[in-house]
Amino acid sequence: MNRLPNVATIGLMISSQADRRLLADLLEQTGHSVKIFTAQDMARNDAAGSLVIADEHSARLHGSALFGLKQRLQPLYLPMLLALTGNVRSTPWLRAGFDDVLRLPLGKDDLLARLEAFLRLRRHSEEMLRESTRHFRATFDLVPVGIVHMALDGQLLFANPRVCEMLGYTESELSALTITNLIHPEEASEIQPAMDSLLAGREAIVHRFEKRYCRKDNGVVWTSVAVSLIRDSGGCPKHLIAVVEDITARKRMEEEQRESERFIKSTIDALSQHICVVDEAGKILAVNKAWRDFAAANGAHSDTVWQQADYLAVCDRATGEAVNDARRFAAGMREVARGERDEFSMEYTCNSPFEQRWFLAKITRFPGGGPTRLVIAHENITQCKRAEQELLYLAHYDGLTGLPNRALLNDRLHQAIAHSFRDGQPVWVLFLDLENFKSVNDTLGHRAGDMLLQIIARRLQSATRGTDTVARFGGDEFIIILSGFADEQSGMGILKRTMCAVAQPVAIEGQEFFLTCSMGIAVYPGDGTDPETLMDHADIAMYRAKELGRNRYQFYTAAMNESALERRRLEKHLGNALERGQFMLHYQPQVDLRTGGIVGMEALIRWHHPELGMVAPVNFIGL
């Protein structure tokens, strides 16, 4: 029998030595080259040759790697055949991706007949690939713009003649370089983030930017670059394609135009705002006197230091605390420059070593035709911001203790409830009332009372955690929000530390005072699901603690609510009892038990309510 034309290399992955020797002998008798194909060979795309024959054992071990190799070689066709013995079903393997099944043992003629069609397909795919490469190269070399193919690490794979002409290198010289070898040193740091952004994106994205590149003769060429990421059929990044256009002439014209523009110095120098004019690329064309004076006061000692500076580049290179503001400002500049918005404004901080400062920056675009020009004005609004901060502080913090006031307390409690709803951990609301506080006011006056409240406020903050909220509710009442603890024992520890902190002696103006506190606790969500209910119930529990003897804490129960309602009902009726004549005076004699004589009397008040009847003194005397 005649041999097949264009004899190919056949890769064998046969675990059985006998079967492997049989197939190798048959193939070698036909003049084919035989290669024993190992798992390590699959890492090399050319390791398999023209066709691969594997047996069932190798297919089970290395099937995924084999099909991965076949995928990587596309559009080059790599036939994969499976050698089976006995009655093993072939359908599952064909469905898995094998092109055909060989039943062993197999004669030489049968083997060649089965292989012939696949080898022809292989040769056809090779010819198609060569033809495609010829067409691609012809187009690639003739386009009037530069085109570069790069590996994912920036290595240049090949470039067309236009790129070689721009940079002064041959294609072989460029293939030994990376993109970072060619980029201008001042812009080298911007390349990697752009490539990282492309690799991170899941959709097809084209990055466009203008960059300077260094020629082989040390000259500089300005380019407009559009870079896109090419992915394989599985969506994995494969390589990068950059379309490069020489814009050096345009850049030179822009620079000449900037130099020829007339500056309206007298107008902008008369303004107190710091003003500069920039072109669409961010190059500063003019600054006013206020700008120059501010720059000089902050370390720029030349009046021309800002001339031709790249405002956008300064923003893009910003680091540290200013980076977010700088990027936002640069984005606004670009949007106005592109005409996407008429103006852009933002507030930002620019602190000196001596003070914190705020500025309002506003960017507007020159109206009408002609070159794009942007006016950037910076106004010092430090005084206004300080006034705003003072008002905001007064609106949310207690002026005496510096603790959150009721407004901020309500907001913090809303947040704590929201977090608890998500993570399932409880929120404790502690309503704390100082005892014996009135004695300090009566003894030393209100100034001493204020000092005492400030001391107690600091102690409460020290006794709690940084994540807890300590607020002054009014007078000598405080509310504490505890959240984010896993068990009741942790909350009880904070509660007891708080009571101990209050109970420590306080020395004011040479006198020592001992204070205690009564505390009520309401727990979310069992005792309420909104801030108002939780604070009301904690207040009720605090009064119950006072009734039980003071200097103690009490958790809220539903029974306390009934008692509090009864107390409030009595207070309401008690307010009208005197004017409605509901009080009666009873006199009780005092008797000397030795003589039996009356030695005095007590005047006792009794309350007769038309609906409640006789109200027991124990129920209303305390009120």
Side-chain angles (χ1 to χ4, degrees), residues 13 35 120 142 154 200 224 230 295 303 322 329 383 423 468 476:
M13 288 193 71
K35 175 178 175 57
R120 285 177 179 173
L142 290 175
S224 173
I230 305 301
D303 287 344
F329 189 78
Q383 296 303 322
D423 59 30
D468 301 325
D476 59 349

Side-chain angles (χ1 to χ4, degrees), residues 434-446 448-449 452 476 506 508 511-516:
L434 298 180
E435 295 158 356
N436 305 325
F437 175 72
K438 187 174 181 297
S439 64
V440 178
N441 275 340
D442 293 344
T443 305
L444 300 177
H446 289 287
L452 176 60
D476 59 349
V506 181
I508 299 178
Q511 296 192 40
E512 195 170 51
F513 295 90
F514 293 87
L515 296 174
T516 56

Side-chain angles (χ1 to χ4, degrees), residues 280-301:
E280 62 182 343
K283 298 292 185 181
I284 297 179
L285 306 178
V287 297
N288 72 340
K289 184 177 184 301
W291 185 292
R292 292 192 298 271
D293 291 346
F294 180 80
N298 288 272
H301 301 297

Side-chain angles (χ1 to χ4, degrees), residues 35 39 49 53 59 65 67 93 119 127 144 181 201 208 214 297 308 423-424 432 439 459 486 530 564 574 592 619:
K35 175 178 175 57
I53 301 176
F67 297 140
W93 293 107
L119 291 175
E127 180 59 32
N181 298 137
R208 302 180 186 274
C214 297
Q308 302 302 319
D423 59 30
L432 185 150
S439 64
R459 288 184 178 180
D530 60 89
L574 191 62
D592 187 334
N619 291 335

Side-chain angles (χ1 to χ4, degrees), residues 46-219:
D46 60 346
S50 301
L51 184 145
V52 174
I53 301 176
D55 64 1
E56 185 179 11
H57 178 75
S58 298
R60 293 186 185 278
L61 289 178
H62 308 297
S64 297
L66 280 168
F67 297 140
L69 173 61
K70 185 171 185 175
Q71 180 72 22
R72 292 198 304 275
L73 289 177
Q74 290 181 352
L76 189 66
Y77 176 57
L78 177 63
M80 288 192 177
L81 309 182
L82 182 67
L84 294 178
T85 58
N87 296 321
V88 179
R89 294 183 62 216
S90 61
T91 303
W93 293 107
L94 294 174
R95 289 177 179 172
F98 282 93
D99 297 291
D100 202 357
V101 171
L102 304 176
R103 292 286 180 179
L104 299 181
L106 195 65
K108 180 173 65 175
D109 292 341
D110 291 340
L111 174 62
L112 293 179
R114 300 289 295 275
L115 296 184
E116 182 176 1
F118 291 105
L119 291 175
R120 285 177 179 173
L121 287 174
R122 166 63 183 234
R123 288 191 292 273
H124 179 69
S125 74
E126 290 173 349
E127 180 59 32
M128 293 293 291
L129 181 59
R130 284 192 292 269
E131 185 65 19
S132 174
T133 302
R134 285 194 296 268
H135 283 297
F136 166 77
R137 192 70 213 197
T139 305
F140 185 77
D141 289 345
L142 290 175
V143 291
V145 295
I147 300 179
V148 177
H149 283 215
M150 292 184 294
L152 299 180
D153 60 0
Q155 183 72 40
L156 301 180
L157 302 177
F158 46 88
N160 71 347
R162 183 70 185 104
V163 172
C164 297
E165 179 186 342
M166 271 190 265
L167 299 177
Y169 291 93
T170 65
E171 184 175 0
S172 61
E173 289 173 333
L174 286 175
S175 65
L177 302 175
T178 66
I179 190 66
T180 53
N181 298 137
L182 297 171
I183 198 72
H184 193 280
E186 294 180 3
E187 299 174 351
S189 61
E190 302 172 16
I191 288 297
Q192 193 59 47
M195 295 181 67
D196 292 342
S197 177
L198 278 170
L199 293 174
R202 295 186 176 181
E203 299 180 356
I205 298 176
V206 178
H207 274 246
R208 302 180 186 274
F209 45 81
E210 295 180 355
K211 288 287 180 287
R212 289 173 292 173
Y213 288 90
C214 297
R215 290 175 49 84
K216 184 179 180 181
D217 59 9
N218 296 324

